[in-house]
Amino acid sequence: MNNKDDKIAKILKKNILRHGALSLADYMHICLTHPKYGYYIKNEPIGVKGDFTTSPEISQMFGELIGLWIVQVWMDHQKPEKFSLVELGPGKGTLMADILRATRMITGFHNALELFLIEISPSLKNIQKKALKGFPVKWKTEINGLPNQPTIIIANEFFDALPISQFQRKSDKWMEVMVNLKNLSEPDSNEFCFQLMNPSKEILVNFENEVFEEGCMIEISKTMQNIIFHLSKHIQKNSGAALIIDYGKEGNVGNTLQAVRKHKYSNPLSSPGQQDLTSFVDFKAIRTHAEESGVIVSQLANQGDFLKNLGIEQRAKILSKGLSGNDLVLHQTALERLINKNLMGNLFKVLGLRGTKSPPLIGLQT
Ligand code: SAH
């Protein structure tokens, strides 16, 4: 590791030497969003030259169909004259740019929308500014404080980027996965290791009555819980909906933490701050917290089915008419990547949330 790149490692080490081992959630929080050296703060993670690629970067069709979904929700809410369109973690701004392009012919829609992007990274915010040039955008770093008006919220590959805590069942009790220095007696060592310790916080109250096998791991994201709480309260109070798309599963059992660098898996404890750290989104936990806050939650759909329900195959056919040769092959490959059940089609899931006074959401079953 060269000097320039090990800033986060030094910060982590200082923290551990001063306060003891870090929870996995604190480790992830520092690695990903440290205000100066965090992974999302100083890198450009998305795209061929970055570390990973997302659906809107694969094909314009993704954003176009999400755009039509948003228009339908707006229409089903009797076309409010003012509403907030909010995106959580907009990355390079590609999804929002495609949404706005696909909806520009809808009478009254662009005039009605007030655009909010929730983004923690100044460098990605600059890229978003360029991608959305000409549109009045308001940036925020947190979801709270949105204006009280009908609100449509979208989030693609946002929730997988939030810190999680991990716990392991050992002799009838839960131990927390902590991050420690491998060799505390060697001050120059920047090597980290996982260590099981007594849980730092009372985080597990909801799981007391369930039976877990020895050695089993579970994951909990307090940050996700807080965001879902705010988001749900907001759409319940003001009417509207939220669309959450991400890779994940229903339930929190298993170790799903992964690190990705240059499109390859790597060790989550190596090169802290220089690689993406994510986990599978627990859609069951999202449902529980959203329902506790009073909103209606749709059935969980596979991305492939959702996009097909919205007409991606028809859209692909229309677009393919203008293409030939390599462009046509790329276009067909992109469609396959998004909907094929062995590619992103089943791994990625879609969940819809809506206020109790809001109508059912297209493309999803209630
Ligand atoms: N939705 C985009 C990008 C996904 S990457 C796409 O589909 O291409 C995750 C995004 O969430 C990045 O923009 C990242 O900077 C942002 N992000 C991560 N953690 C965040 C946090 N705690 N608060 C706000 N934004 C965050």
Side-chain angles (χ1 to χ4, degrees):
M1 214 182 309
N2 67 39
N3 236 1
K4 188 176 122 284
D5 291 334
D6 67 358
K7 290 269 189 339
I8 285 285
K10 285 193 174 132
I11 290 163
L12 291 165
K13 193 173 148 189
K14 214 163 139 187
N15 240 292
I16 294 172
L17 288 172
R18 198 173 287 169
H19 306 291
L22 290 164
S23 71
L24 177 61
D26 287 344
Y27 171 80
M28 289 178 79
H29 177 68
I30 294 171
C31 289
L32 295 176
T33 58
H34 180 278
K36 227 168 154 185
Y37 306 113
Y39 173 75
Y40 282 115
I41 307 302
K42 69 173 183 44
N43 290 289
E44 286 179 15
I46 308 159
V48 182
K49 288 193 195 135
D51 295 310
F52 59 93
T53 303
T54 56
S55 297
E57 305 297 329
I58 291 173
S59 167
Q60 66 181 71
M61 292 185 290
F62 186 80
E64 289 170 351
L65 290 162
I66 305 293
L68 295 181
W69 184 89
I70 294 167
V71 166
Q72 191 62 51
V73 174
W74 175 68
M75 286 178 166
D76 290 343
H77 282 78
Q78 316 307 322
K79 302 186 183 175
E81 271 174 34
K82 266 268 150 288
F83 78 101
S84 305
L85 176 57
V86 183
E87 184 176 0
L88 310 182
K92 293 167 88 171
T94 310
L95 174 57
M96 191 50 79
D98 286 337
I99 289 170
L100 294 172
R101 181 178 45 75
T103 55
R104 66 183 185 277
M105 306 301 277
I106 312 287
T107 312
F109 181 76
H110 277 205
N111 280 342
L113 70 82
E114 207 177 333
L115 197 52
F116 293 91
L117 300 183
I118 314 294
E119 176 56 71
I120 205 162
S121 160
S123 56
L124 286 173
K125 181 179 159 184
N126 278 334
I127 296 176
Q128 292 156 19
K129 246 184 206 160
K130 283 186 200 139
L132 300 169
K133 219 171 149 201
F135 285 96
V137 181
K138 295 184 181 92
W139 276 272
K140 287 163 62 58
T141 52
E142 284 180 352
I143 191 165
N144 19 345
L146 291 168
N148 285 318
Q149 59 191 9
T151 301
I152 302 175
I153 301 171
I154 54 165
N156 182 60
E157 286 211 51
F158 169 74
F159 283 93
D160 67 65
L162 301 178
I164 54 162
S165 301
Q166 285 185 330
F167 301 87
Q168 190 165 30
R169 197 76 179 161
K170 285 277 170 201
S171 316
D172 281 348
K173 65 193 267 269
W174 288 107
M175 300 293 282
E176 182 164 3
V177 175
M178 307 290 280
V179 176
N180 212 344
L181 283 170
K182 229 181 218 169
N183 192 348
L184 279 170
S185 61
E186 213 183 283
D188 284 339
S189 155
N190 273 340
E191 296 275 286
F192 300 96
C193 64
F194 289 121
Q195 211 169 44
L196 287 179
M197 294 187 174
N198 283 321
S200 46
K201 293 161 209 132
E202 272 313 309
I203 207 166
L204 289 162
V205 277
N206 296 342
F207 299 93
E208 272 169 3
N209 297 327
E210 293 181 44
V211 181
F212 292 94
E213 279 173 22
E214 173 73 12
C216 129
M217 292 263 265
I218 60 167
E219 299 178 329
I220 295 172
S221 175
K222 275 276 163 200
T223 314
M224 174 278 279
Q225 292 176 8
N226 282 336
I227 293 172
I228 290 295
F229 174 77
H230 279 292
L231 175 160
S232 304
K233 287 271 174 222
H234 185 80
I235 56 178
Q236 179 58 12
K237 180 173 170 194
N238 295 287
S239 85
L243 189 70
I244 298 172
I245 307 176
D246 224 310
Y247 63 96
K249 57 189 174 61
E250 282 184 285
N252 66 351
V253 177
N255 174 6
T256 73
L257 177 68
Q258 63 187 32
V260 171
R261 195 174 190 188
K262 300 279 167 224
H263 303 267
K264 288 202 178 98
Y265 292 115
S266 91
N267 177 349
L269 295 181
S270 65
S271 312
Q274 297 167 63
Q275 52 182 4
D276 194 25
L277 295 174
T278 64
S279 68
F280 273 47
V281 172
D282 174 5
F283 284 100
K284 189 173 163 202
I286 292 189
R287 174 188 303 283
T288 306
H289 291 284
E291 284 176 348
E292 266 171 19
S293 308
V295 296
I296 299 173
V297 182
S298 78
Q299 283 181 30
L300 190 63
N302 288 325
Q303 169 168 297
D305 295 332
F306 176 71
L307 293 176
K308 282 192 256 177
N309 283 346
L310 296 182
I312 196 166
E313 287 161 317
Q314 291 83 338
R315 178 70 188 136
K317 235 181 220 156
I318 292 168
L319 285 175
S320 67
K321 284 195 182 129
L323 300 171
S324 60
N326 199 33
D327 289 343
L328 182 59
V329 174
L330 286 176
H331 171 64
Q332 276 156 348
T333 313
L335 174 69
E336 276 301 297
R337 266 182 92 178
L338 293 179
I339 65 172
N340 187 307
K341 61 179 173 16
N342 299 318
L343 300 170
M344 295 171 87
N346 279 10
L347 176 66
F348 278 71
K349 313 278 182 200
V350 184
L351 198 69
L353 279 53
R354 64 182 160 105
T356 41
K357 292 196 187 104
S358 299
L361 304 169
I362 57 150
L364 296 165
Q365 290 183 329
T366 26

